[in-house]
Amino acid sequence: VRAEIVSVGTELLLGQIVDTNAAWLAERLAPLGIDLYWISQVGDNLGRLTEVFERALRRSDLTIVTGGLGPTEDDLTREAIAAVLGEQMTVVPELEADLRAFFARRGVPMPARNIKQATIIPSGRPLRNPIGTAPGWWVERDDHVIVAMPGVPHEMRRMWQEEVLPILRQRMGTAAIVSRTLKVLGPGESAVEEMLQHLLASPNPTVATYAKPDGVHVRVTAKGSSDDEARALVAAMEAEVRAALGHHIYGVDDETIAEVVSRLLLERDLTVATIEAASGGMLASVIAEAALSAQVYRGGLIVGASGLAPLGAAEFGARDGHDTTSAAAAALLARVARERFGADLGLAITGAPGPTASGETPPGTVHVAMAWHGEPHVNTQQHRTTPTEVRRRAAMAALNLVRRTLLESATRA
Amino acid sequence: VRAEIVSVGTELLLGQIVDTNAAWLAERLAPLGIDLYWISQVGDNLGRLTEVFERALRRSDLTIVTGGLGPTEDDLTREAIAAVLGEQMTVVPELEADLRAFFARRGVPMPARNIKQATIIPSGRPLRNPIGTAPGWWVERDDHVIVAMPGVPHEMRRMWQEEVLPILRQRMGTAAIVSRTLKVLGPGESAVEEMLQHLLASPNPTVATYAKPDGVHVRVTAKGSSDDEARALVAAMEAEVRAALGHHIYGVDDETIAEVVSRLLLERDLTVATIEAASGGMLASVIAEAALSAQVYRGGLIVGASGLAPLGAAEFGARDGHDTTSAAAAALLARVARERFGADLGLAITGAPGPTASGETPPGTVHVAMAWHGEPHVNTQQHRTTPTEVRRRAAMAALNLVRRTLLESATRA
């Protein structure tokens, strides 16, 4: 199946928004066995829209359109599809009732122009939009399919999952598709690909890697004649991926490293505190994103010019003759975090995220320390990227250090 | 001038990366008087690339291509342009020398396949790439222009500014184009548009608004017969925008709110400290991004389960019978920040960023407080968005509160 994506909206051509819908959809087509050959962005102009849809009908089996389904005169996706197919739009009473109910729930009258959101053409059928006013269209003529969805990302994503994906699966003869993402921290993408070399060519399940801000994602996707069969295929492949990557895998699907670490701490009735001398609150911010963290997080200090004085702790600063950016300083900070916040574990980050060196520490070098029992663990990292990215990676490394240490202590116990 | 953008790379069609280059370029074309009608993404495939370029030559005066200029067999942008024009690629000795020098500086030998990065066709001339191995192409045939630039965003942006923009300005008969972005915090985009209603239709300079993570950007762009003339036009319009928006404007172009606030503090020899009970380090992180902040930032506390105890400060927690998410709590935290970190100004954020309520505070409500002389100022905000976005907006509001207060005190003094 040859597919293309068309994103509609003049704001895309003015650079006011970035087309994230296309990338989101693109990522989901390959696992369905659908080959995506073209993506295009086009403005709210009937002539150009019609031209783009005509070409799509000629060259693609499946055209996925997002945007242009709003109620205004600028929203022309429906009109262009109808024009290309030479069909008439008519109001569907049930859609109109849905639409009026939507406005009634919000306590506002429905503007007259919204009625066009309740229309369909003879070759089409509506796709439900439970969270917005724009239903989608599934249009089919002569073995060509056009799917039109709203441009608002969360409406589009929900319509894709609930309405479009089930039909596409059936069409693709894949009764079931199951995907699972294994998330990796530690090795980089090329190292992960090397470790998975023997699996990357597998046709079913497929195994693909993606470099993301929270590590490397390994996506395993299987097709099967039933959900159970696809799930079993994924499980078997997951076992192989796990055999190859082992403890480098920190989580699955939507799990974050902060959630995983918070859960591990909670299970053991442990708490954590942070002191950041080089990451400026990045570590605390990442932890705060995990709902569970409220139960395990004792608090954190961002070290500024006042050093550790606000904690009533030892002097800490260049004036006192310390190299506050050294590995030894990281170990000290981790111990102070543990003691002053009354936490079981203390985490600390120091160093020189850049762009300039700090003291003797070259730019891009950060030390990540964890204090628990005995001497603190310290990891030193050297990155060649922006200071913000160095801070983010240091925060990820700090959480991964906790995860690895807790898992190892469990194995030993 | 009718323009289109073509972004080349199979990774775009697999959803592995989002095409931010197209949006960046799109934003820069309108001020040049260039109408962008199409954007498309296409994979590393000679047949499809050729088809896309043929169509572009037919329908557009200017085609801007990014990506596909690397040294590998998958990088086919040059080959496709040459094929469409029926021209031969030949090695340019000066480009080859540049390329070899680039590798020599890095102390590695040049791989043989890189030689294709030193080629050009008769209708083309090379565009310098001072920070990478892929020179661009400026190609011109029968009133059609194709500009090919690397896909790596920072290489593309520099080539655009230094090599492409000067030629385009000349072509467009605009000897000079000057842009200036005024950044606004406080009112939202629609409020800003309302305040600028009388200016938005101006043809030269143009005035356009963009909603961005750090507030609303108002971009003023003027064309003139000389740089001086364009600059004078921008200055006159800037005065009108400033008259309409006044103190809501916090900065210009690349200035960040954290830099602006750090500078204001430094000028007055003042320091600041933070306590975050609801923003989890977001405020500290935003401050840390400003290089100047190291000179004015005394430090910060992220409040976790240990409350304010690590600071040796008053008890603070639900157990102690306080509503730690109230406006009064924000004021208390701001005072404590000031005192315990020995700072002139104390900033604090508390409340319920969501998704659930905290105590009596409904989700999305945050209190931002600043302590300086006398009673702390407290701003209460109510947002309907994600918890992360609520935290970010609270951090922006806290810094904006400092800015406004310092400016007002200067006016009074």
Side-chain angles (χ1 to χ4, degrees):
Chain A
V1 170
R2 293 162 76 91
E4 74 179 279
I5 292 174
V6 179
S7 306
V8 180
T10 298
E11 65 275 24
L12 294 164
L13 294 158
L14 293 174
Q16 289 172 341
I17 56 172
V18 174
D19 185 12
T20 54
N21 283 343
W24 191 89
L25 287 166
E27 210 177 319
R28 276 144 189 89
L29 290 175
L32 288 162
I34 295 172
D35 294 315
L36 179 67
Y37 286 144
W38 299 278
I39 303 176
S40 44
Q41 286 84 32
V42 60
D44 302 307
N45 172 286
L46 193 60
R48 285 191 288 278
L49 271 174
T50 308
E51 182 211 314
V52 166
F53 291 156
E54 265 166 7
R55 183 176 321 114
L57 273 182
R58 272 201 311 277
R59 70 183 178 185
S60 301
D61 308 305
L62 170 67
T63 303
I64 301 172
V65 187
T66 65
L69 296 182
T72 79
E73 285 178 13
D74 285 344
D75 294 299
L76 294 166
T77 295
R78 290 184 201 82
E79 287 79 353
I81 295 174
V84 168
L85 298 179
E87 298 189 12
Q88 292 296 318
M89 291 159 60
T90 51
V91 171
V92 183
E94 299 81 55
L95 288 183
E96 186 184 347
D98 279 359
L99 208 52
R100 292 197 181 277
F102 183 94
F103 280 95
R105 277 198 302 279
R106 315 224 147 179
V108 289
M110 186 180 95
R113 62 184 188 189
N114 275 71
I115 193 73
K116 78 176 197 174
Q117 299 191 297
T119 56
I120 196 75
I121 50 173
S123 296
R125 53 174 158 146
L127 301 168
R128 262 169 35 85
N129 181 350
I131 50 177
T133 61
W137 279 11
W138 176 282
V139 177
E140 215 166 334
R141 261 268 291 274
D142 311 331
D143 285 336
H144 291 279
V145 171
I146 299 178
V147 179
M149 294 186 288
V152 180
H154 69 275
E155 295 182 21
M156 183 280 286
R157 292 176 184 198
R158 182 143 169 198
M159 189 177 286
W160 171 263
Q161 293 291 355
E162 295 182 1
E163 301 278 315
V164 180
L165 193 54
I167 314 180
L168 277 182
R169 280 182 184 173
Q170 217 175 3
R171 284 314 171 86
M172 297 302 297
T174 40
I177 290 206
V178 172
S179 255
R180 200 165 153 86
T181 301
L182 306 171
K183 296 172 154 180
V184 173
L185 270 174
E189 189 181 15
S190 55
V192 170
E193 282 189 347
E194 222 163 275
M195 291 186 251
L196 298 178
Q197 196 76 62
H198 55 300
L199 305 175
L200 292 174
S202 161
N204 186 32
T206 56
V207 178
T209 65
Y210 300 84
K212 298 273 182 176
D214 62 344
V216 179
H217 292 192
V218 179
R219 183 170 305 152
V220 177
T221 307
K223 303 178 207 177
S225 56
S226 70
D227 263 357
D228 282 350
E229 188 191 323
R231 246 192 298 274
L233 285 167
V234 166
M237 181 56 88
E238 178 175 346
E240 295 205 54
V241 173
R242 285 190 179 274
L245 297 177
H247 49 68
H248 293 308
I249 297 171
Y250 70 81
V252 168
D253 293 337
D254 291 334
E255 282 179 326
T256 67
I257 180 73
E259 279 166 2
V260 168
V261 167
S262 297
R263 195 179 341 104
L264 285 173
L265 290 168
L266 200 58
E267 282 167 8
R268 282 154 215 235
D269 204 18
L270 295 171
T271 59
V272 68
T274 57
I275 296 188
E276 301 178 66
S279 46
M282 182 74 86
L283 175 56
S285 295
V286 169
I287 292 174
E289 295 289 323
L292 276 184
S293 70
Q295 296 176 61
V296 297
Y297 187 60
R298 296 286 297 167
L301 182 81
I302 320 292
V303 179
S306 63
L308 297 179
L311 298 184
E315 286 161 356
F316 180 82
R319 275 182 220 164
D320 314 315
H322 299 111
D323 181 356
T324 59
T325 64
S326 64
L332 167 72
L333 293 177
R335 267 197 305 264
V336 173
R338 185 168 179 249
E339 284 159 19
R340 299 288 154 163
F341 286 88
D344 299 299
L345 277 72
L347 275 180
I349 298 173
T350 191
T356 56
S358 298
E360 315 235 316
T361 308
T365 299
V366 279
H367 307 285
V368 172
M370 184 189 118
W372 188 15
H373 309 308
E375 275 305 292
H377 294 261
V378 183
N379 270 0
T380 295
Q381 307 194 310
Q382 172 68 47
H383 300 290
R384 288 184 61 165
T385 176
T386 62
T388 305
E389 182 64 14
V390 172
R391 292 188 182 105
R392 208 186 47 69
R393 292 190 194 175
M396 293 289 150
L399 290 171
N400 203 35
L401 183 58
V402 175
R403 182 183 71 85
R404 295 287 301 273
T405 309
L406 290 179
L407 291 179
E408 277 160 29
S409 82
T411 313
R412 279 202 308 271
Chain B
V1 171
R2 295 161 74 91
E4 74 180 278
I5 292 174
V6 179
S7 306
V8 180
T10 298
E11 64 276 22
L12 294 164
L13 294 157
L14 294 173
Q16 288 171 342
I17 55 171
V18 174
D19 184 12
T20 54
N21 283 343
W24 190 89
L25 288 166
E27 211 177 317
R28 277 146 188 88
L29 290 176
L32 289 163
I34 295 171
D35 295 314
L36 179 67
Y37 286 146
W38 298 278
I39 303 176
S40 44
Q41 287 83 30
V42 60
D44 302 307
N45 174 287
L46 193 60
R48 285 192 288 279
L49 271 174
T50 308
E51 183 211 313
V52 166
F53 291 156
E54 265 166 7
R55 184 176 320 114
L57 273 182
R58 270 201 313 276
R59 69 183 179 186
S60 302
D61 307 306
L62 170 66
T63 303
I64 301 171
V65 187
T66 65
L69 296 182
T72 78
E73 285 178 15
D74 285 344
D75 294 298
L76 294 166
T77 294
R78 289 185 201 80
E79 287 80 352
I81 295 174
V84 167
L85 298 180
E87 299 188 10
Q88 292 296 319
M89 291 158 59
T90 51
V91 171
V92 182
E94 298 81 55
L95 287 183
E96 186 184 346
D98 280 358
L99 207 52
R100 292 196 183 277
F102 183 94
F103 280 95
R105 278 197 301 280
R106 314 224 147 179
V108 290
M110 186 180 95
R113 61 184 187 190
N114 275 71
I115 193 71
K116 77 178 197 173
Q117 299 191 297
T119 56
I120 196 74
I121 51 174
S123 296
R125 52 175 159 146
L127 301 168
R128 262 169 36 86
N129 181 351
I131 49 177
T133 61
W137 278 10
W138 176 284
V139 177
E140 214 166 334
R141 261 269 291 270
D142 310 331
D143 285 336
H144 290 278
V145 171
I146 300 179
V147 179
M149 294 185 288
V152 180
H154 69 275
E155 294 182 21
M156 183 278 286
R157 293 176 185 198
R158 182 143 170 197
M159 190 177 287
W160 172 263
Q161 295 290 356
E162 296 181 2
E163 301 279 316
V164 180
L165 193 54
I167 314 180
L168 277 182
R169 282 181 184 175
Q170 218 174 3
R171 285 313 170 89
M172 297 301 298
T174 40
I177 290 207
V178 173
S179 257
R180 199 164 154 89
T181 301
L182 305 171
K183 296 172 154 182
V184 173
L185 271 173
E189 189 181 16
S190 54
V192 170
E193 282 190 346
E194 224 162 274
M195 291 186 253
L196 298 179
Q197 196 78 60
H198 55 301
L199 306 175
L200 292 175
S202 162
N204 185 32
T206 56
V207 178
T209 64
Y210 301 84
K212 298 273 180 174
D214 61 346
V216 179
H217 292 191
V218 179
R219 183 171 303 153
V220 177
T221 307
K223 302 178 209 176
S225 56
S226 69
D227 263 357
D228 282 349
E229 187 192 324
R231 246 192 298 274
L233 285 168
V234 166
M237 180 57 89
E238 178 175 346
E240 294 206 52
V241 173
R242 286 190 180 272
L245 298 176
H247 50 67
H248 294 308
I249 297 171
Y250 70 81
V252 167
D253 293 337
D254 291 333
E255 283 179 324
T256 68
I257 180 72
E259 278 165 4
V260 169
V261 166
S262 297
R263 196 180 339 107
L264 285 174
L265 291 168
L266 200 58
E267 282 167 8
R268 284 153 213 238
D269 203 19
L270 295 172
T271 59
V272 67
T274 57
I275 297 188
E276 301 179 67
S279 45
M282 182 73 86
L283 175 56
S285 296
V286 169
I287 293 174
E289 295 289 323
L292 278 184
S293 69
Q295 297 177 60
V296 297
Y297 187 60
R298 296 286 297 169
L301 182 81
I302 320 292
V303 179
S306 63
L308 297 179
L311 298 184
E315 286 163 353
F316 179 81
R319 274 182 220 163
D320 315 314
H322 300 110
D323 181 355
T324 59
T325 64
S326 64
L332 168 71
L333 293 177
R335 267 198 304 264
V336 173
R338 185 168 178 249
E339 285 158 20
R340 299 288 155 162
F341 286 88
D344 299 299
L345 276 72
L347 275 180
I349 297 172
T350 190
T356 56
S358 298
E360 315 235 314
T361 308
T365 299
V366 280
H367 307 286
V368 172
M370 184 190 119
W372 189 15
H373 308 307
E375 275 305 291
H377 293 261
V378 182
N379 270 1
T380 297
Q381 308 194 309
Q382 171 68 48
H383 300 291
R384 287 184 61 166
T385 177
T386 61
T388 305
E389 182 63 15
V390 172
R391 290 188 183 103
R392 207 184 49 68
R393 292 191 194 176
M396 293 289 150
L399 290 171
N400 203 34
L401 183 56
V402 175
R403 182 182 70 86
R404 295 285 304 273
T405 309
L406 291 179
L407 292 180
E408 278 160 29
S409 81
T411 313
R412 278 202 307 271

